[in-house]
Amino acid sequence: MPYFTKLLLLIFCLVLLVESRKHRRRRWTSHLDVQRASHIFKKSRDLTKAWKGKTDQLLRVDEHDFTMRPAFGGPAIPVGVDVQVESLDSISEVDMDFTMTLYLRHYWKDERLSFPSTNNKSMTFDGRLVKKIWVPDVFFVHSKRSFIHDTTTDNIMLRVFPDGHVLYSMRVTVTAMCNMDFSHFPLDSQTCSLELESYAYTDEDLMLYWKNGNESLKTDEKISLSQFLIQKFHTTSRLAFYSSTGWYNRLYINFTLRRHIFFFLLQTYFPATLMVMLSWVSFWIDRRAVPARVSLGITTVLTMSTIITGVNASMPRVSYIKAVDIYLWVSFVFVFLSVLEYAAVNYLTTVQERKERKLRERFSCSCGIPHSKTMMLDGNYSESDANSLAGYTRNQMVPEEEKPEKMVVHLAMSNESNSSRKRGLKGHVGLRIIQNTHAIDKYSRLIFPGTYIFFNLIYWSVFS
């Protein structure tokens, strides 16, 4: 019996020892959990980021009417704006607009959103809270299309500070109108503006201003365009008046673009210049080679027409003359004049040949003198008498029935003298026509290139 009692006491002691160890382990684990929770609590002091439902209670959104602006009935609320341009996507000459992606940020103070904080840290929210509070109703004047990016969620950020200051940022892509002047195209510079304005609140309720002046506009250094060189960005502001609603603060983002000329040199100016130079080749081709000179002239004219049509197809139909129009149409006139030059050469050549043919038909030798008649001259008349008759005309001669031999002598000498005189006249006229015909091509070889070079000097000095 005593042995059994001792065994029971030993088992009881072992059970007590095991339970004591389990209890100690549970207490140690609980202590570690408390320390860990305390560490997490100290690390995240802002309760709004830890528990659901505390944000609305902390900001007291439901206790205020956010349909009205802050300090309603008082002075105008100042709203600072700054912009960071992410990209300038495209410039369209046909539609006269541009597309820009930017980060638009607003700064204002709304005491209704103030909250107590021991460390003066801000709270950051996404677009869901924006729908519950008042935000500035800024819109883009003269915009055609615009949207807030929503991939993967709405690109909207709201940051609230304990004293009620608010930062509202969004990522926007906007396509806006840009009034362009193409009178110097493609040697032009364009200035476009993106305008921001409050839609509902006049300057008596809301005062828009650039938060840091020109420093409020930041641009990405990697921004580049294929056809334009971005020269500068700058900001301005002014008041805009609407007759029905009043005065509004308007902010401007201005940027100046200068067009790259090298593309148009390769695609427009060089081909037009080469066509003009090609039309001058006809001045060195024989004027009798009608197919060669005509086909060359027509080819250059049609090519110039194609170049002009291609350039105008990619441009808006403006009512004034562009710089490229002046160059192309003057080049077209030079090509067309080279065709007219050969028309003049061919016409004068035809006139020359017609006159030569008439002279041959009119003064052909058809009245030869018989040998017997010539011998009679030696018997009856002296050489001085024959020479003295050479200058007389037919109506100065005596009648044929009175002095038949003398008449024969006169006709023979007169025909011979007139024939030699006509041959000399014909040679002189033909030589003069030939010289005039060759002079057209000769002078054209100098006048056309010289005039075109002079035009280019004036053109590039005026428009470049």
Side-chain angles (χ1 to χ4, degrees):
M1 187 67 182
Y3 178 77
F4 183 74
T5 304
K6 292 181 180 179
L7 181 62
L8 288 177
L9 290 174
L10 180 62
I11 293 173
F12 181 75
C13 290
L14 290 176
V15 171
L16 289 177
L17 181 62
V18 171
E19 290 294 333
S20 176
R21 289 182 177 180
K22 288 183 178 180
H23 181 66
R24 289 178 183 177
R25 187 175 299 172
R26 283 197 297 266
R27 290 183 61 187
W28 177 251
T29 303
S30 176
H31 179 69
L32 289 178
D33 291 340
V34 170
Q35 288 184 345
R36 195 173 299 156
S38 175
H39 176 71
I40 294 174
F41 179 78
K42 290 180 181 179
K43 184 178 179 181
S44 178
R45 299 284 296 180
D46 195 344
L47 301 180
T48 61
K49 299 179 181 179
W51 291 292
K52 180 181 178 183
K54 293 297 183 181
T55 300
D56 293 344
Q57 297 178 10
L58 190 63
L59 294 181
R60 302 189 303 275
V61 174
D62 297 332
E63 297 179 8
H64 302 280
D65 184 8
F66 283 96
T67 58
M68 294 183 293
R69 67 174 179 87
F72 181 79
I77 174 175
V79 177
V81 176
D82 69 35
V83 171
Q84 180 175 347
V85 179
E86 179 183 6
S87 64
L88 192 58
D89 301 323
S90 64
I91 306 290
S92 176
E93 291 88 356
V94 177
D95 298 328
M96 286 193 180
D97 59 24
F98 65 92
T99 301
M100 179 186 293
T101 300
L102 50 90
Y103 294 95
L104 178 61
R105 305 184 182 98
H106 307 80
Y107 302 85
W108 74 94
K109 184 177 182 180
D110 191 345
E111 295 182 354
R112 295 172 294 185
L113 298 177
S114 61
F115 61 92
S117 177
T118 58
N119 52 13
N120 199 29
K121 289 187 177 180
S122 62
M123 293 189 298
T124 303
F125 308 96
D126 57 15
R128 287 172 289 186
L129 184 61
V130 174
K131 300 176 181 179
K132 299 181 180 180
I133 66 173
W134 180 91
V135 293
D137 60 339
V138 175
F139 78 106
F140 298 101
V141 185
H142 305 308
S143 66
K144 297 181 178 180
R145 295 174 300 276
S146 61
F147 62 92
I148 299 175
H149 290 261
D150 55 0
T151 305
T152 56
T153 59
D154 291 340
N155 296 172
I156 297 176
M157 185 268 289
L158 188 71
R159 184 172 294 167
V160 183
F161 294 86
D163 59 353
H165 281 87
V166 182
L167 166 60
Y168 174 46
S169 176
M170 66 184 76
R171 182 168 175 253
V172 185
T173 294
V174 56
T175 300
M177 183 179 64
C178 178
N179 293 323
M180 301 182 184
D181 182 14
F182 297 106
S183 58
H184 285 68
F185 176 87
L187 306 169
D188 58 334
S189 296
Q190 303 294 342
T191 300
C192 299
S193 298
L194 183 63
E195 306 171 13
L196 295 85
E197 183 181 305
S198 172
Y199 191 84
Y201 298 101
T202 64
D203 61 337
E204 297 178 354
D205 293 322
L206 188 146
M207 183 181 67
L208 279 179
Y209 68 97
W210 290 111
K211 189 173 186 296
N212 298 313
N214 274 332
E215 298 297 326
S216 302
L217 180 61
K218 304 293 184 180
T219 58
D220 193 338
E221 296 179 356
K222 298 180 180 180
I223 295 179
S224 62
L225 294 171
S226 59
Q227 290 192 23
F228 291 93
L229 173 65
I230 302 176
Q231 291 186 324
K232 65 176 180 178
F233 277 89
H234 65 281
T235 61
T236 56
S237 61
R238 65 184 66 174
L239 289 175
F241 177 73
Y242 297 90
S243 59
S244 301
T245 54
W247 294 89
Y248 295 82
N249 294 111
R250 181 176 296 182
L251 306 181
Y252 295 83
I253 302 174
N254 304 311
F255 56 95
T256 303
L257 307 172
R258 182 166 184 83
R259 196 182 305 273
H260 294 298
I261 186 59
F262 189 71
F263 171 81
F264 296 94
L265 288 177
L266 292 179
Q267 299 296 324
T268 304
Y269 287 96
F270 284 166
T273 303
L274 292 178
M275 287 300 104
V276 175
M277 296 174 65
L278 183 62
S279 67
W280 300 341
V281 176
S282 64
F283 302 152
W284 278 267
I285 300 177
D286 188 1
R287 69 182 188 277
R288 299 180 186 85
V290 177
R293 295 189 67 164
V294 170
S295 60
L296 180 61
I298 296 301
T299 301
T300 53
V301 168
L302 293 178
T303 304
M304 284 301 305
S305 300
T306 303
I307 294 175
I308 294 174
T309 303
V311 171
N312 291 329
S314 60
M315 293 297 298
R317 297 178 180 178
V318 296
S319 59
Y320 48 85
I321 298 177
K322 304 181 290 292
V324 68
D325 293 335
I326 296 176
Y327 193 90
L328 291 179
W329 280 105
V330 170
S331 300
F332 182 84
V333 169
F334 271 88
V335 172
F336 186 73
L337 288 178
S338 67
V339 177
L340 295 183
E341 185 271 347
Y342 177 64
V345 171
N346 185 267
Y347 174 75
L348 292 178
T349 302
T350 304
V351 171
Q352 171 193 345
E353 293 176 353
R354 187 182 302 123
K355 287 184 177 181
E356 289 179 351
R357 185 167 56 253
K358 288 182 179 180
L359 288 175
R360 284 196 302 268
E361 293 175 355
R362 183 174 179 181
F363 300 107
S364 60
C365 187
S366 59
C367 51
I369 305 299
H371 180 71
S372 59
K373 297 293 182 181
T374 306
M375 295 302 296
M376 290 175 62
L377 174 65
D378 294 339
N380 297 326
Y381 298 94
S382 63
E383 185 177 357
S384 59
D385 294 331
N387 291 335
S388 63
L389 293 174
Y392 290 92
T393 59
R394 183 178 182 86
N395 57 0
Q396 293 174 319
M397 295 296 104
V398 295
E400 185 176 358
E401 55 273 11
E402 296 181 4
K403 294 183 179 180
E405 296 297 328
K406 189 174 182 180
M407 175 60 69
V408 173
V409 172
H410 168 261
L411 289 175
M413 296 300 295
S414 179
N415 287 337
E416 185 178 356
S417 177
N418 290 337
S419 177
S420 62
R421 194 178 303 164
K422 293 297 184 181
R423 282 197 299 269
L425 179 62
K426 180 180 70 174
H428 177 71
V429 173
L431 179 61
R432 181 168 55 84
I433 294 176
I434 292 174
Q435 287 178 348
N436 289 339
T437 303
H438 282 284
I440 295 178
D441 281 337
K442 180 179 178 181
Y443 294 148
S444 297
R445 296 170 189 173
L446 300 176
I447 295 175
F448 274 72
T451 307
Y452 194 69
I453 292 174
F454 180 71
F455 161 72
N456 275 272
L457 292 176
I458 296 178
Y459 179 87
W460 294 107
S461 62
V462 171
F463 291 103
S464 62

